[in-house]
Amino acid sequence: MSQTLTDAEIQAQMAQVPGWTVEGDRLQRTYRFKDFVEAIAFVNKLVEPAEAAGHHPDIAISYNRVTVTLTTHDAGGLTQKDFDLAASLANL
């Protein structure tokens, strides 16, 4: 099981994931697209990095907005896995 990060470690990691915010024990980012089709295309691009990491985000879709939420459920909070996946999504 992954170990949760301390508040200081979380703050240090935030510099590596611009556009993301910490919401309690979750890392979150909302992406906006031209329309629903582009939003769904983005969601489909999330599959490969999530599967490769063995770490799956919570995803909320609202027409042209996709909110991606990361937390390590079995650890009960944020771990390095969350920040690594967030950083890999920057390349999509």
Side-chain angles (χ1 to χ4, degrees):
M1 176 181 348
S2 299
Q3 182 145 353
T4 57
L5 300 175
T6 66
D7 289 341
E9 290 170 326
I10 290 168
Q11 289 309 312
Q13 289 290 326
M14 289 302 293
Q16 307 304 313
V17 290
W20 290 81
T21 60
V22 174
E23 305 292 335
D25 63 351
R26 300 173 188 286
L27 192 58
Q28 191 169 73
R29 182 171 179 183
T30 298
Y31 297 83
R32 286 182 173 74
F33 301 93
K34 181 180 82 170
D35 56 25
F36 182 72
V37 172
E38 285 189 9
I40 295 302
F42 173 75
V43 170
N44 287 331
K45 290 179 186 176
L46 297 176
V47 173
E48 188 175 319
E51 282 294 306
H55 192 51
H56 304 96
D58 293 325
I59 302 167
I61 305 165
S62 180
Y63 182 61
N64 68 333
R65 288 177 289 136
V66 176
T67 300
V68 179
T69 304
L70 299 169
T71 192
T72 305
H73 297 286
D74 61 352
L78 290 169
T79 68
Q80 189 61 49
K81 289 170 45 172
D82 300 303
F83 286 93
D84 290 347
L85 184 54
S88 76
L89 300 181
N91 300 324
L92 298 181

